[in-house]
Amino acid sequence: MTVAANPAAPASNFIRNAVDEDNRAGKWEGRVETRFPPEPNGYLHYGHAKSICLNFGLAESYGGVCHLRFDDTNPAKEDREYVDAIVDAVRWLGFDWREHLYFASDYFDIMYACAESLIKAGKAYVDSQSADDMRANRGTLTEPGIDSPCRERGIDENLDLFRRMKAGEFADGAHVLRAKIDMASPNINLRDPAVYRIRRASHHRTGDKWCIYPMYTFAHPIEDAIENITHSICTLEFEDQRPFYEWLLDALADAGHFPRPLPRQIEFARLNLTYTVLSKRKLVQLVDGGYVAGWNDPRLPTLSGARRRGFTPEGFRLFAERIGVAKADSWIDMSVLEECMRERLNEIAPRRIAVLDPLKLVLTNYPEGQGEPCLAPNHPLKPELGKRDIPFGRELWIEREDFMETPVKGFHRLYPGNTVRLRYGYVIRCTGCEKDTDGRVTTVFAEYFPDSRSGTPGADNYKTKGNLHWVCAANAYTAEVRLYDRLFAHPYPGQRREGDPESAVRDFLDDLNPGSIRIVQARLEPALRAAHPEDRFQFERHGYFIVDRYDSAEGAPVFNRSIPLKDSWTKDRKTRG
Ligand code: ATP
Ligand code: MG
């Protein structure tokens, strides 16, 4: 990767180099037009975010435009609900397709005309072999295929059959239209690929108008050509399809359907991310199997889940930039994505106090019924955001893990006899604790030093190692807080582990992280009661949180943890993995 002269400019990569090369040659007179072409058969996931950032980002930086195109040529699995969710997700990521919103199904008439043109040029034929015969005659990687007995049908017969396919005269599967290329090609994709099939299925946009539908590999190049796409960027699995992409558009340009230069297909490596799965098929399994609570479950790697979790569009853009694009498949560690989210959240999230696992602390020498405000900064890096008052009083909530009756070595927080600072408040000395019949600590007792209040001259006389956060018990807001964690406990869900024969038969569901969600009743500083859906905060010492956009009510927000402050996975992966 070369270093860009302008630090704000995107780093160079092989796709940008290809675009530059085309521009230098004056291929499209400098025009750059890309597209993001999801199939509306599921929700978008983090992998799509990479593709969206790439396609829209490329167009943006060359002053071009990126289309949002629904590749809805397969009637069976597609749905309006998905279309809406995809529109929302791309918009949420902050991209704009202007007037360029398209549906491949709007092109069915043109696609049909293209197919007829191929027939008329002797470049397509109707095959009436059974699906099994067609498969058997396709050959293998080492053996050539066998010509279909229908391959030499005359143009008129082909045209007649194809028109009758369209008219609904034949049963599903009775015939298919195939491109006539080369049954001996070393590239199996060029062995007379099917381009149209009979399929009696209602389409979410065209209804029952059609009973024949184009194959994806036929439809996609045509969609690109219709929209005057310059660079058609797709994932590596389509590399072997590129010769057909080029053959088809070339044949259709010859027939006068499209002008040259034709769109150029460029492949890049799809995103693989550890500790999750990025395949719609598996995501459907997780949702339908009830392993998560729907498509927008914050643990799912969907963009609607990410939004609900509190991840940011800026974090995704930073991530896309940081991982770049490559020509070879590889895995990206989840910690890279999480760190990108942290970086952006650190900048934007105001600080607040929350006690997630509350334990009562009583300051025995603080007057009963009395209280006072303490000043806490809203953002340590942004003094211009000012400070806010948080109430202090005799009874406080502290984090259970901040107290130990018998401290272990190196524990500097609260234990009998020890002195700590209550952040933004007073220094206290622990005097003891009370336990229930099970031996569980129920209350901790301490005395405060009246001249130790933060911000007053006397405060500096106290040297303490512990600095605890707390919430005043008299007016804390008790709220549900969901502590989300990685969905899978293993970096490569369902994959075989070296030296572990049992792992050979693992299903990805076996690797689910049983601790991926923990719900607590937390005690929060009172002002958080007024937080609105999608407000973000850093809860000091805990991480980043967002107000759930669905389950919160006015005056009763519920919080989702977006991400802890530090990565606890990378260092102890061995014990958890
Ligand atoms: P899946 O494999 O999850 O079913 P898909 O490729 O079928 O995804 P599409 O709706 O066809 O999903 O994808 C739309 C665009 O997003 C395509 O251009 C595809 O290449 C790209 N895309 C899908 N998954 C990834 C990924 N993991 N990384 C990068 N781009 C991806
Ligand atoms: Mg697909």
Side-chain angles (χ1 to χ4, degrees), residues 436-462:
D436 62 17
T437 48
D438 296 333
R440 185 176 153 91
V441 177
T442 52
T443 311
V444 176
F445 299 102
E447 288 174 350
Y448 86 116
F449 298 97
D451 61 344
S452 67
R453 200 183 133 121
S454 276
T456 61
D460 294 340
N461 299 335
Y462 291 85

mmCIF file of all heavy atoms in Angstrom, residues 436-462:
data_model
loop_
_atom_site.group_PDB
_atom_site.id
_atom_site.type_symbol
_atom_site.label_atom_id
_atom_site.label_comp_id
_atom_site.label_asym_id
_atom_site.label_seq_id
_atom_site.Cartn_x
_atom_site.Cartn_y
_atom_site.Cartn_z
ATOM 1 N N ASP A 436 -25.122 -11.375 54.676
ATOM 2 C CA ASP A 436 -26.345 -12.128 54.951
ATOM 3 C C ASP A 436 -25.968 -13.528 55.442
ATOM 4 O O ASP A 436 -24.787 -13.849 55.589
ATOM 5 C CB ASP A 436 -27.268 -12.159 53.720
ATOM 6 C CG ASP A 436 -26.629 -12.852 52.535
ATOM 7 O OD1 ASP A 436 -25.626 -13.582 52.727
ATOM 8 O OD2 ASP A 436 -27.121 -12.675 51.403
ATOM 9 N N THR A 437 -26.978 -14.359 55.665
ATOM 10 C CA THR A 437 -26.716 -15.674 56.250
ATOM 11 C C THR A 437 -25.876 -16.560 55.334
ATOM 12 O O THR A 437 -25.235 -17.510 55.770
ATOM 13 C CB THR A 437 -28.038 -16.382 56.575
ATOM 14 O OG1 THR A 437 -28.880 -16.281 55.433
ATOM 15 C CG2 THR A 437 -28.718 -15.757 57.777
ATOM 16 N N ASP A 438 -25.889 -16.246 54.009
ATOM 17 C CA ASP A 438 -25.063 -17.024 53.070
ATOM 18 C C ASP A 438 -23.628 -16.512 53.015
ATOM 19 O O ASP A 438 -22.820 -17.013 52.237
ATOM 20 C CB ASP A 438 -25.650 -16.948 51.662
ATOM 21 C CG ASP A 438 -27.026 -17.588 51.604
ATOM 22 O OD1 ASP A 438 -27.282 -18.495 52.424
ATOM 23 O OD2 ASP A 438 -27.836 -17.173 50.752
ATOM 24 N N GLY A 439 -23.347 -15.479 53.775
ATOM 25 C CA GLY A 439 -21.993 -14.946 53.751
ATOM 26 C C GLY A 439 -21.761 -13.939 52.635
ATOM 27 O O GLY A 439 -20.627 -13.531 52.383
ATOM 28 N N ARG A 440 -22.830 -13.546 51.981
ATOM 29 C CA ARG A 440 -22.668 -12.592 50.886
ATOM 30 C C ARG A 440 -22.747 -11.174 51.466
ATOM 31 O O ARG A 440 -23.624 -10.858 52.268
ATOM 32 C CB ARG A 440 -23.799 -12.824 49.879
ATOM 33 C CG ARG A 440 -23.712 -11.993 48.621
ATOM 34 C CD ARG A 440 -24.850 -12.422 47.687
ATOM 35 N NE ARG A 440 -25.258 -11.354 46.792
ATOM 36 C CZ ARG A 440 -24.732 -11.172 45.588
ATOM 37 N NH1 ARG A 440 -23.781 -11.958 45.144
ATOM 38 N NH2 ARG A 440 -25.171 -10.181 44.836
ATOM 39 N N VAL A 441 -21.810 -10.344 51.036
ATOM 40 C CA VAL A 441 -21.757 -8.977 51.558
ATOM 41 C C VAL A 441 -22.987 -8.199 51.099
ATOM 42 O O VAL A 441 -23.323 -8.197 49.905
ATOM 43 C CB VAL A 441 -20.469 -8.270 51.083
ATOM 44 C CG1 VAL A 441 -20.447 -6.809 51.554
ATOM 45 C CG2 VAL A 441 -19.244 -9.011 51.597
ATOM 46 N N THR A 442 -23.682 -7.565 52.043
ATOM 47 C CA THR A 442 -24.879 -6.794 51.679
ATOM 48 C C THR A 442 -24.644 -5.292 51.787
ATOM 49 O O THR A 442 -25.222 -4.520 51.041
ATOM 50 C CB THR A 442 -26.059 -7.161 52.597
ATOM 51 O OG1 THR A 442 -25.623 -7.042 53.957
ATOM 52 C CG2 THR A 442 -26.526 -8.580 52.341
ATOM 53 N N THR A 443 -23.796 -4.878 52.707
ATOM 54 C CA THR A 443 -23.521 -3.449 52.881
ATOM 55 C C THR A 443 -22.064 -3.268 53.296
ATOM 56 O O THR A 443 -21.524 -4.078 54.051
ATOM 57 C CB THR A 443 -24.413 -2.848 54.000
ATOM 58 O OG1 THR A 443 -25.768 -3.242 53.772
ATOM 59 C CG2 THR A 443 -24.320 -1.336 54.028
ATOM 60 N N VAL A 444 -21.479 -2.197 52.771
ATOM 61 C CA VAL A 444 -20.116 -1.843 53.164
ATOM 62 C C VAL A 444 -20.208 -0.535 53.941
ATOM 63 O O VAL A 444 -21.026 0.333 53.611
ATOM 64 C CB VAL A 444 -19.215 -1.673 51.919
ATOM 65 C CG1 VAL A 444 -17.818 -1.207 52.314
ATOM 66 C CG2 VAL A 444 -19.146 -2.983 51.136
ATOM 67 N N PHE A 445 -19.396 -0.424 54.964
ATOM 68 C CA PHE A 445 -19.411 0.809 55.765
ATOM 69 C C PHE A 445 -18.088 1.540 55.614
ATOM 70 O O PHE A 445 -17.027 0.903 55.474
ATOM 71 C CB PHE A 445 -19.649 0.478 57.241
ATOM 72 C CG PHE A 445 -20.981 -0.212 57.455
ATOM 73 C CD1 PHE A 445 -21.045 -1.591 57.642
ATOM 74 C CD2 PHE A 445 -22.167 0.530 57.444
ATOM 75 C CE1 PHE A 445 -22.267 -2.230 57.811
ATOM 76 C CE2 PHE A 445 -23.390 -0.114 57.617
ATOM 77 C CZ PHE A 445 -23.447 -1.492 57.802
ATOM 78 N N ALA A 446 -18.183 2.872 55.653
ATOM 79 C CA ALA A 446 -16.966 3.681 55.550
ATOM 80 C C ALA A 446 -17.226 5.033 56.197
ATOM 81 O O ALA A 446 -18.372 5.409 56.466
ATOM 82 C CB ALA A 446 -16.581 3.858 54.083
ATOM 83 N N GLU A 447 -16.133 5.737 56.441
ATOM 84 C CA GLU A 447 -16.228 7.115 56.929
ATOM 85 C C GLU A 447 -15.616 8.033 55.889
ATOM 86 O O GLU A 447 -14.628 7.666 55.238
ATOM 87 C CB GLU A 447 -15.476 7.251 58.259
ATOM 88 C CG GLU A 447 -16.195 6.567 59.399
ATOM 89 C CD GLU A 447 -15.395 6.564 60.694
ATOM 90 O OE1 GLU A 447 -14.188 6.937 60.656
ATOM 91 O OE2 GLU A 447 -15.975 6.172 61.713
ATOM 92 N N TYR A 448 -16.210 9.208 55.721
ATOM 93 C CA TYR A 448 -15.656 10.128 54.724
ATOM 94 C C TYR A 448 -14.858 11.213 55.435
ATOM 95 O O TYR A 448 -15.041 11.461 56.631
ATOM 96 C CB TYR A 448 -16.765 10.699 53.854
ATOM 97 C CG TYR A 448 -17.451 11.928 54.408
ATOM 98 C CD1 TYR A 448 -17.357 13.156 53.743
ATOM 99 C CD2 TYR A 448 -18.207 11.871 55.575
ATOM 100 C CE1 TYR A 448 -17.998 14.285 54.226
ATOM 101 C CE2 TYR A 448 -18.839 13.004 56.066
ATOM 102 C CZ TYR A 448 -18.719 14.209 55.384
ATOM 103 O OH TYR A 448 -19.338 15.316 55.874
ATOM 104 N N PHE A 449 -13.950 11.814 54.689
ATOM 105 C CA PHE A 449 -13.142 12.914 55.232
ATOM 106 C C PHE A 449 -13.715 14.209 54.690
ATOM 107 O O PHE A 449 -13.584 14.485 53.493
ATOM 108 C CB PHE A 449 -11.669 12.750 54.825
ATOM 109 C CG PHE A 449 -11.047 11.495 55.369
ATOM 110 C CD1 PHE A 449 -10.965 10.338 54.583
ATOM 111 C CD2 PHE A 449 -10.563 11.451 56.676
ATOM 112 C CE1 PHE A 449 -10.403 9.176 55.093
ATOM 113 C CE2 PHE A 449 -9.999 10.277 57.178
ATOM 114 C CZ PHE A 449 -9.915 9.135 56.393
ATOM 115 N N PRO A 450 -14.343 15.024 55.554
ATOM 116 C CA PRO A 450 -15.062 16.206 55.081
ATOM 117 C C PRO A 450 -14.174 17.204 54.331
ATOM 118 O O PRO A 450 -14.674 17.946 53.496
ATOM 119 C CB PRO A 450 -15.609 16.817 56.377
ATOM 120 C CG PRO A 450 -15.675 15.683 57.349
ATOM 121 C CD PRO A 450 -14.533 14.778 56.999
ATOM 122 N N ASP A 451 -12.853 17.208 54.586
ATOM 123 C CA ASP A 451 -11.998 18.199 53.897
ATOM 124 C C ASP A 451 -11.338 17.631 52.637
ATOM 125 O O ASP A 451 -10.386 18.176 52.129
ATOM 126 C CB ASP A 451 -10.917 18.699 54.863
ATOM 127 C CG ASP A 451 -10.022 17.547 55.323
ATOM 128 O OD1 ASP A 451 -10.425 16.370 55.137
ATOM 129 O OD2 ASP A 451 -8.933 17.811 55.864
ATOM 130 N N SER A 452 -11.873 16.495 52.114
ATOM 131 C CA SER A 452 -11.192 15.826 50.995
ATOM 132 C C SER A 452 -11.951 15.978 49.676
ATOM 133 O O SER A 452 -11.622 15.332 48.692
ATOM 134 C CB SER A 452 -11.059 14.328 51.306
ATOM 135 O OG SER A 452 -12.341 13.709 51.326
ATOM 136 N N ARG A 453 -12.936 16.817 49.657
ATOM 137 C CA ARG A 453 -13.798 16.896 48.485
ATOM 138 C C ARG A 453 -13.020 17.310 47.234
ATOM 139 O O ARG A 453 -12.245 18.270 47.250
ATOM 140 C CB ARG A 453 -14.900 17.914 48.750
ATOM 141 C CG ARG A 453 -16.089 17.757 47.853
ATOM 142 C CD ARG A 453 -17.080 18.853 48.147
ATOM 143 N NE ARG A 453 -17.483 19.387 46.858
ATOM 144 C CZ ARG A 453 -18.735 19.394 46.448
ATOM 145 N NH1 ARG A 453 -19.693 18.973 47.221
ATOM 146 N NH2 ARG A 453 -19.022 19.841 45.255
ATOM 147 N N SER A 454 -13.221 16.607 46.153
ATOM 148 C CA SER A 454 -12.547 16.894 44.885
ATOM 149 C C SER A 454 -12.738 18.356 44.510
ATOM 150 O O SER A 454 -13.831 18.886 44.625
ATOM 151 C CB SER A 454 -13.158 16.057 43.756
ATOM 152 O OG SER A 454 -12.591 14.806 43.732
ATOM 153 N N GLY A 455 -11.659 18.962 44.069
ATOM 154 C CA GLY A 455 -11.768 20.340 43.613
ATOM 155 C C GLY A 455 -11.552 21.369 44.714
ATOM 156 O O GLY A 455 -11.446 22.555 44.434
ATOM 157 N N THR A 456 -11.471 20.936 45.976
ATOM 158 C CA THR A 456 -11.200 21.888 47.058
ATOM 159 C C THR A 456 -9.718 21.786 47.422
ATOM 160 O O THR A 456 -9.073 20.761 47.133
ATOM 161 C CB THR A 456 -12.053 21.583 48.309
ATOM 162 O OG1 THR A 456 -11.722 20.276 48.776
ATOM 163 C CG2 THR A 456 -13.541 21.648 47.993
ATOM 164 N N PRO A 457 -9.142 22.831 48.058
ATOM 165 C CA PRO A 457 -7.696 22.838 48.327
ATOM 166 C C PRO A 457 -7.241 21.647 49.169
ATOM 167 O O PRO A 457 -6.170 21.085 48.914
ATOM 168 C CB PRO A 457 -7.488 24.144 49.094
ATOM 169 C CG PRO A 457 -8.661 25.002 48.736
ATOM 170 C CD PRO A 457 -9.797 24.089 48.442
ATOM 171 N N GLY A 458 -8.042 21.200 50.101
ATOM 172 C CA GLY A 458 -7.626 20.110 50.977
ATOM 173 C C GLY A 458 -7.535 18.768 50.278
ATOM 174 O O GLY A 458 -6.878 17.843 50.768
ATOM 175 N N ALA A 459 -8.185 18.666 49.118
ATOM 176 C CA ALA A 459 -8.288 17.364 48.445
ATOM 177 C C ALA A 459 -6.926 16.777 48.109
ATOM 178 O O ALA A 459 -6.742 15.557 48.125
ATOM 179 C CB ALA A 459 -9.123 17.507 47.170
ATOM 180 N N ASP A 460 -5.967 17.655 47.816
ATOM 181 C CA ASP A 460 -4.661 17.171 47.377
ATOM 182 C C ASP A 460 -3.858 16.524 48.493
ATOM 183 O O ASP A 460 -2.859 15.856 48.242
ATOM 184 C CB ASP A 460 -3.846 18.324 46.777
ATOM 185 C CG ASP A 460 -4.493 18.836 45.497
ATOM 186 O OD1 ASP A 460 -5.297 18.070 44.907
ATOM 187 O OD2 ASP A 460 -4.215 19.980 45.109
ATOM 188 N N ASN A 461 -4.258 16.745 49.751
ATOM 189 C CA ASN A 461 -3.496 16.165 50.862
ATOM 190 C C ASN A 461 -3.680 14.661 50.956
ATOM 191 O O ASN A 461 -2.950 13.987 51.676
ATOM 192 C CB ASN A 461 -3.933 16.802 52.190
ATOM 193 C CG ASN A 461 -3.660 18.301 52.174
ATOM 194 O OD1 ASN A 461 -2.787 18.758 51.443
ATOM 195 N ND2 ASN A 461 -4.425 19.050 52.962
ATOM 196 N N TYR A 462 -4.678 14.152 50.263
ATOM 197 C CA TYR A 462 -4.960 12.709 50.362
ATOM 198 C C TYR A 462 -4.351 11.973 49.182
ATOM 199 O O TYR A 462 -4.550 12.347 48.040
ATOM 200 C CB TYR A 462 -6.474 12.475 50.387
ATOM 201 C CG TYR A 462 -7.111 12.978 51.660
ATOM 202 C CD1 TYR A 462 -7.500 14.309 51.789
ATOM 203 C CD2 TYR A 462 -7.300 12.128 52.750
ATOM 204 C CE1 TYR A 462 -8.067 14.782 52.948
ATOM 205 C CE2 TYR A 462 -7.870 12.593 53.922
ATOM 206 C CZ TYR A 462 -8.256 13.917 54.021
ATOM 207 O OH TYR A 462 -8.818 14.380 55.168
#
